[in-house]
């Protein structure tokens, strides 16, 4: 009798937990944050969620409200729908450029504080207004949230390593030797396109690098193991030819030559092994001599253009490569705490030591 | 207490491990960072060593008394002398058992089940505890082995964090930053608490008593060390200081192809470990009270403890209160862990000298 009672209790008690019927839920899958002109309600929040229409079709609804803080705006969203709001399925949060320039931290903190939101929710910037991107109705493309999520995952898989989620952003923000970056999207011809990388100084957006500028950035970040390299080079006497390499990052290390008093020099050493996939010039790329020549040209190019990028980063006082982490690991604690990080970063002489080796000319001689 | 079957060393180790690993694990990496600063995970090794010293003390009691049980040793005193001490220890252990479960339930509520009343969690907890406690220690130990295999696989989830792990984030600094070695160290020590219950069952272990207890503590320490080490390379140091429950975040970062947010599942699995901690503290309470009040039927005593605990569970309203309570209780429990074996050693040596016959038999 006793056992029966216990078993009944266990079943009855678990049944008392809260019920959530999926048809009655508004599972928000993307949120956008923007600033408004309105002084009283400076924040514009865009939330989008999928729902099933009366005739059984899959659709989405996007709600825009203005409010004082993100959670206060969320309360307003609640008044605009007959469904119960749930944040647990948020996959992407978008931030307008204006807002990111003022600092991202308050918004991120409200996300990370909320236990229903996972730390793997992805972050991205909107070149203009986040609401534009989330409101956009792309033909035959149902949910902008899933579209963006796939996009971000794809960028990550293609080794652009722009996949930044809440955990990664906060990790790099709170780490004292690296600054976070975020991918930027914009609306172009009724489509959402990737348009570069936003650079952060602490939690404030400083500059957006165009995709063409940003490619070296990924090359110098350690996480990227493979990638493509397309370049106009001039091997022989004739016009510039286009070459495309599919490469593998064989080696990557950042060296800081430092004694405590003098941290003026650093070098980023990378070694790439590549296969030629396209070459539009007249030379025979399978010829070792020509290969050597191409290797030299590309090496020189990466060293030079990479250096230009680094100088730009130094000027902007952003450290997305985490050079300062290597500086930190060369010093003792007291010296590190006394160091003016950005000042010393700006004064550093950072060189690129690239080494490109051609492996093959593809499956054509 | 008559016991037909004895615990094998393996069972004893697992029992110790499961009593030890409780709800503090979820906050441990932050506690370690707060207490020891950068690379604080190394500090855990020292704390584990202190626990081992304590275990040796407990073993010494067993060795010097030539295998006598706790109750046999104290039976030289009349019961009115042992009553206040035993009552005090029983209350501390009972409260510890209660609050470990309350804290887990509250975190569970905050993180995953916002609208579910604590009443249900507590009811489930006490029903399950009661079912286990009705059996003797040998049966409980048998079920712990099952629970051990049921939960130990979660350790391997740590491997999922390797892609995000970086040695650079560990920094070359040892124990730098705002440290609070004494108070922080104390709070970490309480994460390993639980082994002290072995003073009640060390004589029931078949053989290799010392080794199996130390092995149990080593399993806990290794798991703690692993989790903390991964956390230090996974989070940046400042971030770690701000994460309320770093281990929950760690679990939450795992993504399976078909499952989002597995942490709610793994976190609930951890509930089984917490349950074992509670069950064993209640067991200790029961044993102590049974010794003092031989007349009461074991089952009535058990139900009494359960009812009392159930009502005590509702006293603290918020996690903050629970933490405050737990703080004081664990201090008391730590004091008991050290004082009790020392006291017992003195008693044993003293009785040997006086060669007195037990006053209570």
């Amino acid at each position: 009798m006793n056992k029966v009672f216990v078993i009944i209790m266990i079943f009855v008690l678990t049944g008392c937990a809260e019920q959530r019927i999926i048809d009655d839920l508004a599972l928000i899958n993307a949120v956008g944050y923007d600033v408004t002109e309105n002084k009283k309600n400076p924040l514009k929040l865009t939330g989008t969620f999928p729902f099933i229409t009366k005739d059984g079709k899959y659709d989405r609804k996007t709600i825009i409200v203005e409010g004082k803080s993100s959670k206060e705006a969320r309360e307003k969203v609640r008044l605009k729908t007959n469904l119960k709001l749930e944040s647990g399925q948020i996959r992407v949060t978008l931030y307008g450029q204006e807002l990111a320039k003022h600092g991202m931290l308050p918004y991120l903190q409200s996300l990370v504080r909320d236990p229903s939101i996972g730390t793997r929710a992805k972050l991205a910037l909107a070149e203009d207004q986040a609401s534009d991107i989330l409101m956009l109705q792309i033909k035959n493309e149902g949910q902008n949230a899933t579209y963006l999520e796939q996009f971000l995952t794809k960028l990550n898989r293609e080794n652009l390593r722009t996949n930044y989620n809440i955990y990664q952003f906060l990790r790099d923000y709170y780490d004292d030797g690296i600054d976070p970056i975020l991918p930027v999207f914009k609306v172009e011809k009724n489509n959402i396109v990737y348009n570069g990388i936003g650079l952060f100084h602490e939690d404030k957006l400083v500059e957006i690098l165009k995709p063409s500028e940003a490619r070296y950035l990924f090359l110098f970040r350690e996480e990227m193991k493979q990638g493509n390299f397309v370049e106009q080079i001039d091997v022989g006497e004739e016009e510039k030819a286009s070459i495309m390499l599919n490469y593998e990052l064989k080696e990557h290390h950042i060296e800081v030559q430092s004694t405590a008093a003098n941290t003026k020099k650093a070098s980023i050493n990378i070694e790439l092994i590549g296969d030629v996939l396209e070459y539009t010039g007249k030379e025979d790329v399978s010829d070792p001599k020509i290969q050597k020549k191409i290797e030299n040209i590309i090496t020189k190019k990466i060293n030079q253009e990479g250096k230009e990028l680094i100088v730009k980063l130094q000027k902007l006082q952003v450290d997305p490569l985490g050079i300062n982490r290597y500086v930190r690991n060369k010093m003792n604690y007291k010296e590190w705490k006394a160091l003016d990080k950005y000042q010393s970063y700006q004064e550093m002489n950072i060189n690129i030591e690239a080494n490109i080796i051609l492996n093959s000319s593809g499956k054509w001689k | 207490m008559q016991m037909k079957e004895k615990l094998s060393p393996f069972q004893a180790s697992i029992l110790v491990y499961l009593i030890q690993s409780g709800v503090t694990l979820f906050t441990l990496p932050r506690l370690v960072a707060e207490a020891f600063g950068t690379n604080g995970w190394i500090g855990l090794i020292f704390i584990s060593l202190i626990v081992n010293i304590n275990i040796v003390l407990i073993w010494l009691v067993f060795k010097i008394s030539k295998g006598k049980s706790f109750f046999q040793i104290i039976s030289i005193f009349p019961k009115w002398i042992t009553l206040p001490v035993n009552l005090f220890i029983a209350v501390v252990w009972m409260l510890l058992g209660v609050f470990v479960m309350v804290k887990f339930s509250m975190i569970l509520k905050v993180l995953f089940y916002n609208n579910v009343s604590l009443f249900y969690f507590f009811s489930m907890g006490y029903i399950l505890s009661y079912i286990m406690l009705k059996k003797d220690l040998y049966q409980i130990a048998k079920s712990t082995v099952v629970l051990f295999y049921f939960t130990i696989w979660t350790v391997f989830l740590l491997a999922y964090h390797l892609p995000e792990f970086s040695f650079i984030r560990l920094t070359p600094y040892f124990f730098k930053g705002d440290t609070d070695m004494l108070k922080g160290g104390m709070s970490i020590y309480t994460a390993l608490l639980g082994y002290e219950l072995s003073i009640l069952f060390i004589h029931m272990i078949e053989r290799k008593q010392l080794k199996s207890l130390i092995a149990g503590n080593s399993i806990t320490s290794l798991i703690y060390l692993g989790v903390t080490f991964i956390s230090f390379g996974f989070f940046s140091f400042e971030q770690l200081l701000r994460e309320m429950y770093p281990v929950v975040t760690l679990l939450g970062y795992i993504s399976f192809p078909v499952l989002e947010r597995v942490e709610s599942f793994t976190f609930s699995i951890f509930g089984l470990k917490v349950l074992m901690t509670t069950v064993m503290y209640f067991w200790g309470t029961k044993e102590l009270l049974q010794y003092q009040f031989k007349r009461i039927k074991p089952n009535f005593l058990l139900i009494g403890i359960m009812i009392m605990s159930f009502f005590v569970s509702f006293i603290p309203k918020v996690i903050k209160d629970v933490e405050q309570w737990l703080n004081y209780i664990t201090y008391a429990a730590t004091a008991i862990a050290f004082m009790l074996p020392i006291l017992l050693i003195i008693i044993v040596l003293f009785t040997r000298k006086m060669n007195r016959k037990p006053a209570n038999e």
Side-chain angles (χ1 to χ4, degrees), chain A residues 6 13 16 18 88 91 115-116 118-120 165 167-168 171 174-175 325-326 328-329 331-333 336, chain B residues 110-111 115 120 123 131 164 168-169 171-173 176-177 234 236 238-239 242 252-255 260-261:
Chain A
V6 164
L13 283 173
C16 290
E18 193 198 1
R91 302 301 170 86
S116 65
T119 43
R120 267 185 295 119
N165 53 39
Y167 145 75
Q168 286 167 321
R171 178 192 71 200
Y174 282 117
D175 204 346
R325 296 185 300 177
Y326 293 89
R328 171 185 70 196
N329 290 3
M331 291 179 156
N332 70 36
Y333 190 73
W336 171 245
Chain B
V110 168
L111 294 180
N115 304 323
Y120 299 117
S123 310
I131 296 172
E164 293 288 352
I168 294 173
R169 274 192 285 279
T171 74
Y173 312 126
K176 291 284 162 53
F234 180 79
S236 53
E238 291 285 316
Q239 186 187 20
R242 284 172 172 80
Y253 202 73
I254 300 164
S255 75
E260 278 286 313
R261 315 286 310 271

Side-chain angles (χ1 to χ4, degrees), chain A residues 165-306:
Chain A
N165 53 39
I166 298 174
Y167 145 75
Q168 286 167 321
F169 191 96
L170 287 175
R171 178 192 71 200
D172 287 353
Y173 169 76
Y174 282 117
D175 204 346
D176 51 0
I178 187 167
D179 289 318
I181 55 173
L182 284 183
V184 183
F185 289 94
K186 69 169 183 182
V187 174
E188 193 182 272
K189 288 180 190 151
N190 203 30
N191 192 13
I192 301 173
V193 282
Y194 160 72
N195 201 33
I197 287 293
L199 300 173
F200 284 82
H201 176 94
E202 286 173 345
D203 71 325
K204 293 182 178 66
L205 179 69
V206 180
E207 171 100 348
I208 293 175
L209 285 183
K210 294 281 143 219
S212 55
E213 280 178 291
R215 59 189 180 143
Y216 287 112
L217 189 69
F218 304 117
L219 197 57
F220 302 148
R221 278 168 78 89
E222 197 180 355
E223 294 114 334
M224 187 163 77
K225 296 292 176 224
Q226 297 167 353
N228 293 321
F229 184 85
V230 186
E231 198 48 77
Q232 296 284 315
I233 56 167
D234 183 7
V235 180
E237 301 298 314
E238 81 278 14
E239 294 280 287
K240 277 195 172 177
S242 174
I243 188 165
M244 180 182 171
L245 297 180
N246 191 350
Y247 68 78
E248 211 181 318
L249 186 67
K250 276 286 164 204
E251 208 190 299
H252 176 285
H253 68 270
I254 294 176
E255 232 171 79
V256 174
Q257 290 165 8
S258 100
T259 51
N262 182 21
T263 55
K264 297 274 189 280
K265 226 174 148 194
S267 61
I268 301 170
N269 301 288
I270 51 172
E271 189 179 284
L272 303 176
I273 291 187
D275 298 305
V276 182
L277 290 189
E278 185 186 72
Y279 180 70
T280 59
K282 286 191 183 102
E283 282 78 14
D284 175 14
V285 274
S286 62
D287 180 4
K289 256 190 205 154
I290 299 291
Q291 281 192 354
K292 193 87 207 145
K293 213 168 167 185
I294 293 175
E295 280 172 6
N296 283 338
I297 292 170
I298 298 178
T299 304
K300 221 165 144 191
K301 211 168 165 95
I302 290 180
N303 284 344
Q304 203 176 32
E305 287 178 5

Side-chain angles (χ1 to χ4, degrees), chain A residues 82-112:
Chain A
N82 59 340
L83 303 171
K84 187 178 183 310
L85 282 189
E86 284 292 336
S87 318
Q89 291 292 322
I90 292 182
R91 302 301 170 86
V92 181
T93 55
L94 273 176
Y95 300 85
Q97 190 180 154
E98 262 318 293
L99 179 131
K101 278 185 177 158
H102 289 120
M104 302 265 290
L105 201 58
Y107 307 100
L108 289 172
Q109 275 180 346
S110 87
L111 286 180
V112 80

Side-chain angles (χ1 to χ4, degrees), chain B residues 35-299:
Chain B
F36 299 128
T38 50
N39 279 314
W41 54 277
I42 296 167
L44 267 179
I45 298 170
F46 297 112
I47 294 204
S48 172
L49 286 179
I50 298 175
V51 172
N52 281 348
I53 293 172
N54 202 170
I55 288 178
V56 169
L57 271 181
I58 292 172
W59 175 75
L60 274 179
V61 174
F62 171 77
K63 204 75 196 162
I64 294 174
S65 69
K66 302 215 171 69
K68 276 188 190 163
S69 76
F70 172 77
F71 296 116
Q72 282 169 329
I73 294 170
I74 61 168
S75 64
I76 61 150
F77 295 110
K79 279 208 178 147
W80 59 269
I81 291 184
T82 53
L83 180 70
V85 181
N86 274 353
L87 216 54
F88 173 72
I89 299 173
V91 167
V92 168
W93 282 353
M94 187 189 90
L95 289 179
L96 197 54
V98 169
F99 284 112
V100 164
M101 189 158 78
V102 170
K103 193 176 173 191
F104 179 80
S105 305
M106 282 188 169
I107 298 176
L108 195 67
K109 184 177 153 80
V110 168
L111 294 180
F112 305 113
Y113 303 103
N114 274 311
N115 304 323
V116 180
S117 164
L118 284 173
F119 178 81
Y120 299 117
F121 295 133
F122 294 162
S123 310
M124 292 281 282
Y126 286 113
I127 290 174
L128 290 173
S129 312
Y130 175 73
I131 296 172
M132 278 204 156
L133 283 165
K134 265 175 61 179
K135 310 283 180 206
D136 61 14
L137 184 70
Y138 180 70
Q139 305 291 339
I140 296 175
K142 272 209 291 198
S143 54
T144 52
V145 176
V146 178
L147 287 183
F148 174 74
Y149 287 121
F150 210 69
T151 53
I152 193 69
W153 60 271
T154 46
V155 171
F156 300 107
L157 291 176
L158 283 179
Y160 273 89
H161 303 104
L162 290 180
E164 293 288 352
F165 182 89
S166 164
F167 280 101
I168 294 173
R169 274 192 285 279
L170 285 173
T171 74
Y173 312 126
F174 293 103
F175 305 151
K176 291 284 162 53
D178 293 328
T179 54
D180 182 7
M181 300 269 184
L182 204 68
K183 207 163 158 248
M186 192 69 191
S187 67
I188 294 162
Y189 191 84
T190 61
L192 285 161
L193 226 59
Y195 63 87
E196 78 274 16
L197 282 172
S198 64
I199 202 159
L200 293 186
F201 63 76
I202 188 165
H203 65 284
M204 300 178 191
I205 304 170
E206 222 171 15
R207 62 204 140 81
K208 293 186 186 162
Q209 289 83 0
L210 180 63
K211 269 187 197 158
S212 56
L213 293 185
I214 287 183
N217 178 45
S218 305
I219 300 174
T220 319
S221 308
L222 275 178
I223 290 173
Y224 281 4
L225 201 65
V227 170
T228 321
F229 176 72
I230 293 277
S231 297
F232 270 80
F234 180 79
F235 298 105
S236 53
F237 182 66
E238 291 285 316
Q239 186 187 20
L240 191 55
L241 291 175
R242 284 172 172 80
E243 278 283 354
M244 203 58 203
Y245 307 106
V247 176
V248 177
T249 310
L250 213 58
L251 289 172
Y253 202 73
I254 300 164
S255 75
F256 287 123
V258 283
L259 268 179
E260 278 286 313
R261 315 286 310 271
V262 287
E263 78 265 36
S264 49
F265 173 66
T266 32
F267 192 84
S268 309
I269 292 278
F270 271 98
L272 294 173
K273 289 192 196 175
V274 174
L275 182 77
M276 268 328 291
T277 309
T278 304
V279 164
M280 282 311 290
Y281 273 111
F282 283 170
W283 176 81
T285 310
K286 191 191 90 179
E287 293 289 290
L288 288 176
L289 293 181
Q290 192 73 73
Y291 171 79
Q292 286 299 339
F293 310 107
K294 280 216 170 78
R295 294 254 179 90
I296 308 176
K297 272 190 183 166
N299 218 11

